[in-house]
């Protein structure tokens, strides 16, 4: 940085002004600023800013800060109007009419319009399973006037409002029409929304920190905050995401009061948090997450189903749980496609599950698949300790049965960027990565990308099974929970045969915060930043 003579003169003048002020005034102003700023260390680095382009949780958190949604889930996971003031459905159940509430405006000063909503729904629907179903069922989605739009259906779709309010990423965030007009395969480059925070482009320091300022013109709903729903009241002026990759360094900053919140500290730090009178562990998502391995079904060796079945037998969930979620208070095995303790959890086709796994069976299946020594590239996020260690363990387990496994280390942002590559490993592609899904979202096979099997149009890994997809398409048509439970068993029977994902277990992950920070909202799938305040 070069300092000019003019800068020095300005600095001297400012210094004279500051000296003339009483120290108590300076201290009071500094304290007030600190009290109105929350510093958070999130899990991973924000690399992709477009929450429709990726399903990455950190991008979903970014989306909830700067964008708004038509509907939002309350703490009981029921959809409630958010940007919508009123909505109605015609007597034949085929036409839904939505009216936007007053006071909605973009961060650049323009009003939010129905055209923005129509374009946003159409773009989201290019990638979201629930959105694809809406588009397949819709005759038209159109603007009626500046504040009103309609969704006209070919046939009634009773789940429409639920589909517009997905349980997990990608959430239906409303963007400006000019941004939402881009294909979902192209990233939106502007960070202009209508939500409770503004993204501060001037203070953005990729790899170091990102800053969000309170949107002073945001008009919150009158209801009390309730999950993602209700009034999004912002009680601070600024939130800063500090990117501190080293967990010990991040924890030291938390203890020293240099940061206020640490998302997902490693379990070996839990005792230190619990013994510090100024800190608290808080489980924000009590249903937790299900961790899983995704394989690239478009490329060798996992384009062969037997290679994927081999992985199902290779995995020892107990061993992986000890690595990812070492504290036994916070981990469980998972054998159902639909997660643990959801309405649709079941035990269909789970005979493959064996404590300790079955490496010999895995070796046999790899041989039957025709595996010929192809390189298996394992994406390793080094700033996620649990995942990083688990993938090292997995690579070792693969090598023991003769698989040419190679780790590709990067931070999580690098994994998110690389996993979109559908090409072979020689062209920057990949074979395996680990990710997680909120346990709750696994009860929704329509809205959860990981439960789709529609090939290269689907979620990373791109598995394809037409018979399974035909069953999944029946989900919205089933009238009762009992009927869906029966359908879930049929779907699971197929899922564990073509194996698009391998579960590694369920974990619940407390966050650590300073006790002076209160009002942190606990919900599955994302971390909203409104409602927080500092004492």
């Amino acid at each position: 940085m070069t300092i000019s003579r003019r800068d020095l003169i300005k600095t001297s003048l400012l210094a004279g002004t500051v000296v003339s002020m009483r120290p108590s005034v300076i201290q009071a102003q500094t304290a007030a600023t600190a009290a109105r700023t929350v510093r958070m260390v999130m899990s991973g680095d924000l690399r992709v800013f477009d929450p429709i382009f990726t399903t990455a949780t950190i991008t979903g958190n970014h989306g909830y800060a700067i964008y708004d949604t038509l509907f939002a889930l309350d703490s009981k996971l029921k959809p409630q109007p958010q940007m919508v003031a009123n909505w109605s459905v015609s007597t034949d159940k085929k036409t839904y009419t939505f009216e936007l509430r007053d006071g909605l405006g973009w961060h650049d000063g323009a009003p939010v319009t129905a055209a923005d909503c129509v374009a946003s729904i159409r773009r989201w629907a290019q990638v979201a399973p629930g959105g694809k179903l809406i588009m397949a069922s819709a005759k038209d989605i159109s603007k009626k006037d500046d504040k009103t739009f309609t969704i006209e259906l070919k046939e009634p779709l009773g789940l429409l409002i639920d589909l517009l309010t997905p349980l997990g990423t990608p959430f239906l965030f409303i963007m400006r029409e000019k941004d939402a007009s881009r294909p979902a395969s192209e990233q939106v480059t502007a960070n202009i929304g209508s939500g409770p925070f503004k993204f501060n482009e001037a203070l953005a320091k990729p790899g170091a920190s990102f800053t969000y300022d309170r949107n002073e013109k945001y008009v919150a709903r009158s209801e009390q905050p309730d999950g993602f729903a209700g009034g999004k009241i912002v009680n601070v002026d600024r939130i800063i995401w500090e990117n501190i990759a080293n967990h010990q360094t991040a924890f030291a900053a938390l203890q020293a009061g240099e940061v206020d919140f640490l998302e997902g500290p490693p379990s070996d730090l839990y005792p230190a948090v619990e013994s510090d009178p100024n800190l608290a562990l808080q489980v924000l998502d009590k249903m937790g997450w299900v961790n899983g391995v995704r394989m690239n079904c478009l490329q060798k060796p996992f384009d062969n189903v037997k290679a994927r079945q081999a992985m199902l037998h290779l995995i020892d969930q107990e061993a992986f749980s000890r690595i990812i979620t070492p504290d036994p208070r916070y981990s469980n095995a998972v054998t159902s496609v639909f997660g643990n303790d959801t309405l649709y959890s079941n035990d269909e086709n789970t005979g493959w599950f064996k404590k300790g796994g079955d490496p010999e069976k895995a070796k046999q299946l790899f041989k039957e698949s025709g595996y010929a020594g192809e390189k298996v590239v394992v994406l390793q996020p080094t700033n996620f300790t649990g995942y990083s260690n688990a993938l090292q363990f997995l690579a070792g387990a693969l090598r023991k049965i003769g698989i040419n496994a190679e780790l590709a280390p990067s931070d999580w942002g690098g994994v998110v960027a690389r996993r979109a590559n559908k090409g072979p490993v020689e062209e920057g592609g990949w074979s395996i990565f680990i990710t997680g899904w909120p346990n709750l979202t696994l009860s929704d096979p329509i809205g959860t990308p990981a439960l789709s099997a529609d090939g290269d149009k689907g979620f990373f890994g791109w598995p394809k099974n037409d018979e399974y997809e035909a069953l999944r398409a029946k989900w919205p048509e089933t009238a009762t929970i009992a009927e869906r439970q029966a359908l879930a068993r049929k779907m699971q029977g197929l899922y564990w045969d073509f194996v698009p994902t391998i579960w590694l277990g369920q974990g619940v992950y407390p966050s650590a915060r300073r006790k002076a920070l209160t009002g942190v909202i606990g919900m599955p799938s994302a971390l909203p930043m409104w409602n927080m305040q500092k004492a």
Side-chain angles (χ1 to χ4, degrees):
M1 177 179 178
T2 303
I3 301 176
S4 68
R5 179 174 296 184
R6 181 178 295 181
D7 292 328
L8 288 171
I9 293 171
K10 284 183 178 180
T11 302
S12 299
L13 292 171
L14 283 172
T17 303
V18 171
V19 167
S20 69
M21 295 174 65
R22 291 181 298 162
S24 59
V25 174
I26 299 172
Q27 292 170 2
Q29 289 178 344
T30 302
T33 301
R36 300 285 297 178
T37 299
V38 173
R39 294 180 180 271
M40 308 175 73
V41 178
M42 308 297 283
S43 294
D45 183 18
L46 180 64
R47 295 283 188 89
V48 179
F49 296 87
D50 182 344
I52 308 303
F53 182 81
T54 181
T55 58
T57 300
I58 194 163
T59 306
N61 293 338
H62 166 79
Y64 261 117
I66 69 170
Y67 296 108
D68 218 337
T69 58
L70 297 173
F71 293 85
L73 294 174
D74 64 19
S75 58
K76 296 179 181 178
L77 306 176
K78 294 181 179 179
Q80 303 294 343
Q82 185 54 237
M83 296 175 76
V84 169
N86 302 292
W87 65 278
S88 60
V89 59
S90 60
T91 54
D92 65 0
K93 309 295 183 184
K94 293 183 181 181
T95 301
Y96 286 73
T97 301
F98 304 91
E99 180 185 351
L100 297 176
R101 63 187 178 92
D102 294 333
L104 299 178
W106 298 110
H107 297 158
D108 63 5
V112 176
T113 69
D116 298 314
C117 300
V118 171
S120 295
I121 292 171
R122 289 183 179 277
R123 183 171 189 263
W124 165 79
Q126 293 174 37
V127 293
K132 291 177 182 178
L133 176 60
I134 291 173
M135 295 308 294
S137 305
K139 182 186 298 182
D140 191 26
I141 302 177
S142 59
K143 165 188 169 181
K144 189 174 180 180
D145 56 45
D146 281 348
K147 293 187 65 175
T148 310
F149 67 94
T150 61
I151 298 179
E152 295 181 64
L153 302 168
K154 301 168 189 172
E155 298 294 337
L157 181 61
L159 285 177
L160 180 66
I161 302 302
D162 297 90
L163 295 173
L164 292 171
T165 322
L167 297 174
T169 57
F171 300 105
L172 175 50
F173 294 117
I174 301 303
M175 298 179 169
R176 298 179 301 176
E177 183 181 15
K178 65 179 180 180
D179 295 326
S181 295
R182 284 179 181 244
S185 57
E186 295 179 10
Q187 292 190 52
V188 169
T189 56
N191 286 294
I192 296 176
S194 64
F197 289 91
K198 292 182 177 181
F199 184 75
N200 192 319
E201 296 278 0
L203 295 183
K205 301 173 183 177
S209 67
F210 292 108
T211 299
Y212 298 85
D213 294 327
R214 180 168 62 92
N215 179 9
E216 296 179 353
K217 295 183 179 180
Y218 182 76
V219 178
R221 294 188 68 92
S222 59
E223 301 92 344
Q224 289 296 310
D226 184 16
F228 295 132
K232 297 181 178 181
I233 306 298
V234 178
N235 300 308
V236 296
D237 292 332
R238 174 169 287 177
I239 289 180
I240 301 174
W241 287 2
E242 301 280 6
N243 183 20
I244 306 177
N246 183 280
H247 293 297
Q248 292 291 345
T249 303
F251 179 65
L254 182 70
Q255 283 189 307
E258 295 167 1
V259 300
D260 305 290
F261 180 89
L262 179 55
E263 184 182 29
S267 59
D268 59 354
L269 291 177
Y270 293 173
V273 175
E274 293 172 317
S275 65
D276 190 318
N278 297 310
L279 305 181
L281 281 178
Q282 183 175 359
V283 176
L284 296 172
D285 176 8
K286 294 178 173 59
M287 290 193 73
W289 286 64
V290 174
N291 298 301
V293 168
R294 288 289 282 194
M295 298 153 289
N296 187 340
C297 299
L298 300 181
Q299 302 293 339
K300 290 183 179 297
F302 298 116
D303 59 342
N304 188 294
V305 68
K306 284 190 177 290
R308 302 199 298 273
Q309 291 171 349
M311 293 290 290
L312 193 61
H313 291 277
L314 180 65
I315 295 299
D316 174 1
Q317 282 201 30
E318 186 176 349
F320 278 92
S321 290
R322 285 197 302 268
I323 295 169
I324 300 174
T325 317
D327 192 323
R329 294 177 294 174
Y330 300 119
S331 65
N332 292 286
V334 187
T335 57
S336 178
V337 169
F338 297 91
N340 280 343
D341 302 318
T342 72
L343 281 173
Y344 308 110
S345 302
N346 67 83
D347 60 359
E348 187 72 19
N349 194 15
T350 54
W352 51 267
F353 180 78
K354 181 179 180 181
K355 189 173 182 179
D358 191 344
E360 286 304 314
K361 179 70 172 177
K363 185 175 182 179
Q364 173 196 333
L365 286 167
F366 265 116
K367 184 177 180 180
E368 292 176 9
S369 76
Y371 177 71
E374 295 90 357
K375 185 185 293 184
V376 171
V377 172
V378 181
L379 302 186
Q380 179 195 11
T382 53
N383 57 335
F384 279 15
T385 302
Y387 281 6
S388 179
N389 292 342
L391 286 162
Q392 292 180 66
F393 181 76
L394 177 58
L398 285 164
R399 292 178 190 131
K400 284 180 182 178
I401 62 169
I403 306 303
N404 180 19
E406 180 181 291
L407 289 166
S410 70
D411 60 14
W412 178 249
V415 172
V416 169
R418 185 168 177 177
R419 69 182 182 178
N421 188 330
K422 296 178 181 177
V425 296
E426 294 80 10
E427 298 176 9
W430 57 276
S431 308
I432 288 172
F433 77 95
I434 288 181
T435 189
W437 294 269
N439 184 57
L440 174 68
T441 66
L442 297 180
S443 64
D444 177 17
I446 297 300
T448 303
L451 299 187
S452 65
D454 49 356
D456 61 5
K457 297 179 181 178
F459 185 68
F460 309 105
W462 311 288
K464 184 172 177 58
N465 188 286
D466 294 339
E467 186 179 358
Y468 173 86
E469 281 295 291
L471 290 176
R472 194 169 71 95
K474 294 180 180 179
W475 192 268
E477 304 168 5
T478 54
T480 67
I481 290 175
E483 289 174 331
R484 286 185 186 167
Q485 288 172 333
L487 182 58
R489 295 188 72 88
K490 292 180 181 178
M491 292 171 66
Q492 181 164 304
L494 285 174
Y495 194 95
W496 289 137
D497 281 343
F498 72 94
V499 199
T501 310
I502 315 290
W503 293 156
L504 301 176
Q506 174 196 19
V508 174
Y509 304 102
S511 294
R513 61 174 174 83
R514 295 192 64 80
K515 289 181 179 177
L517 179 68
T518 58
V520 183
I521 294 173
M523 285 289 285
S525 307
L527 175 61
M529 296 193 293
W530 57 88
N531 200 55
M532 291 188 292
Q533 54 188 321
K534 288 176 68 174

